[in-house]
Amino acid sequence: MIENNTTAASNASTSLQKAINVNIMVVQVLIGIFLSINFLLILTFFRREIFYTNARYILFAHTLLADSLYLILTNFLLNLIYFRITLPAWLCLIICTVLLVLTFVTPLTLTAMSLERYVAICMPLRHGELSTPRRAIHCIFIIHSLSSIQAIITDSIFFASVPLAFYVQYRLCTVEMLVIHPWQGHLTSAISQFYFLVMSVTIVFIYVKIMSVAKEVSVENNTSTSKGLRTVILHGFQLILCLIQLWCPFVETAIIQIDLRLYVDVRYSNYIAFILAPRCLSPLVYGLRDDKFYHALKEIIFCGFRRIHLFVR
């Protein structure tokens, strides 16, 4: 019986390891694809003056850069944990702080982009005055300032709670390392929920306002209004996914006490659905649905293929 139990445990461990190997490979492929698309979109942005002199496209490029950095860092930590590679605590602290900031950069930028669409549709006479490149840069500074509040609070508690010797210790790098006290998790969760409540209310307000304008505009302007409305809906969907991400650690903590294999599957699904997915919708919302950006991107891709063909010949 002991031998049977040992064999069963060994088979279960092997099966779990194989599942993790497959999951890791799938994540690497998806992130490689998403980063390649983001790179092409960023290249397109800097190749056309019409994009980097327009507030809407500046915010879009900012989202692409933030999402790309977020994907690189989360994938880096994922591989470190998978291969059981430790880092000095001070280096892990820097990486996790950047991740905490980037967690809020994307949804706040989406909210700002929705506000830009609100001004363009509901306040067209003031759109040229309010949506300028200078104001877009100011908006980015405000976004990063607001995104840093939770990171500053978390780091301050961490600095006050651990001794100096802790920073030179080598540990597996996870964001959970920064949570020292049980109440700290509740505090950060409350801050996150407040942020996303404000952003959700803002998105709903913008949706209602654009809907009211859509009923009043002429048929000629209805196409633009409907497209702006669909853009706001997609931004709202991205925000919902980001909001669900905040609840994932609570669900995973409860599941790991029940079944390790189920925990691995749930955490993998959460990573794909609530971390990768919302940050990969931005290229769809503005990169491929926007006519100017789509044609510029297509032109760059075709020029690249022509150069490769001429070089091969």
Side-chain angles (χ1 to χ4, degrees):
M1 184 176 294
I2 294 176
E3 292 179 355
N4 291 338
N5 291 338
T6 302
T7 303
S10 177
N11 292 338
S13 177
T14 303
S15 176
L16 178 61
Q17 188 64 39
K18 289 181 178 179
I20 294 175
N21 291 340
V22 173
N23 292 346
I24 290 292
M25 292 303 297
V26 171
V27 168
Q28 303 312 304
V29 171
L30 290 176
I31 289 181
I33 293 173
F34 295 146
L35 288 178
S36 299
I37 294 173
N38 284 0
F39 172 77
L40 283 174
L41 294 174
I42 293 170
L43 179 64
T44 303
F45 170 81
F46 285 106
R47 291 286 294 273
R48 297 289 186 273
E49 184 179 358
I50 188 176
F51 297 139
Y52 56 80
T53 56
N54 185 298
R56 176 160 60 111
Y57 295 115
I58 291 174
L59 291 174
F60 171 57
H62 173 252
T63 304
L64 291 176
L65 290 171
D67 288 347
S68 298
L69 181 57
Y70 188 88
L71 291 176
I72 291 172
L73 289 179
T74 54
N75 188 52
F76 175 66
L77 293 186
L78 178 68
N79 282 279
L80 288 182
I81 294 173
Y82 174 69
F83 292 107
R84 310 295 295 179
I85 300 174
T86 58
L87 290 178
W90 63 267
L91 179 57
C92 180
L93 175 64
I94 294 174
I95 296 174
C96 291
T97 300
V98 175
L99 283 176
L100 286 176
V101 174
L102 292 177
T103 299
F104 289 93
V105 165
T106 294
L108 285 171
T109 307
L110 292 175
T111 305
M113 294 169 75
S114 298
L115 285 171
E116 189 276 334
R117 289 293 81 200
Y118 163 75
V119 172
I121 295 172
C122 301
M123 305 168 62
L125 298 179
R126 299 198 61 192
H127 182 252
E129 174 190 351
L130 297 176
S131 298
T132 62
R134 180 183 294 272
R135 289 184 182 273
I137 299 300
H138 292 166
C139 182
I140 290 173
F141 280 121
I142 294 173
I143 288 170
H144 281 270
S145 299
L146 293 174
S147 301
S148 301
I149 292 177
Q150 180 170 316
I152 292 172
I153 294 174
T154 301
D155 287 351
S156 300
I157 298 173
F158 183 81
F159 291 146
S161 303
V162 301
L164 292 177
F166 180 86
Y167 297 100
V168 296
Q169 297 178 8
Y170 280 75
R171 293 175 173 269
L172 282 177
C173 188
T174 63
V175 178
E176 287 78 8
M177 186 192 74
L178 303 182
V179 180
I180 306 300
H181 308 286
W183 55 266
Q184 193 177 347
H186 299 295
L187 175 62
T188 55
S189 177
I191 296 173
S192 301
Q193 298 302 327
F194 174 75
Y195 270 62
F196 281 96
L197 175 63
V198 173
M199 288 185 283
S200 300
V201 171
T202 303
I203 291 290
V204 172
F205 169 79
I206 293 171
Y207 176 81
V208 172
K209 285 294 184 179
I210 295 179
M211 279 289 292
S212 63
V213 171
K215 296 179 181 179
E216 300 173 359
V217 297
S218 61
V219 177
E220 289 78 9
N221 295 328
N222 193 49
T223 302
S224 176
T225 304
S226 299
K227 191 170 184 178
L229 186 62
R230 289 193 295 270
T231 300
V232 172
I233 292 174
L234 285 172
H235 286 334
F237 179 66
Q238 286 179 278
L239 285 177
I240 290 174
L241 293 178
C242 293
L243 177 61
I244 296 175
Q245 176 191 345
L246 296 177
W247 295 99
C248 291
F250 299 101
V251 176
E252 293 166 2
T253 301
I255 291 178
I256 195 173
Q257 302 175 7
I258 301 173
D259 185 5
L260 179 60
R261 175 61 185 272
L262 180 61
Y263 165 78
V264 172
D265 293 338
V266 169
R267 185 156 194 175
Y268 175 74
S269 300
N270 289 341
Y271 183 79
I272 296 294
F274 307 124
I275 293 180
L276 289 185
R279 286 165 178 80
C280 299
L281 284 175
S282 294
L284 172 64
V285 176
Y286 272 100
L288 302 180
R289 291 179 65 251
D290 186 273
D291 293 333
K292 294 179 182 178
F293 219 99
Y294 175 74
H295 290 302
L297 176 63
K298 186 167 64 174
E299 181 180 342
I300 288 176
I301 293 175
F302 285 158
C303 287
F305 281 139
R306 290 195 193 101
R307 290 176 183 174
I308 294 174
H309 180 68
L310 292 174
F311 178 78
V312 172
R313 291 181 62 183

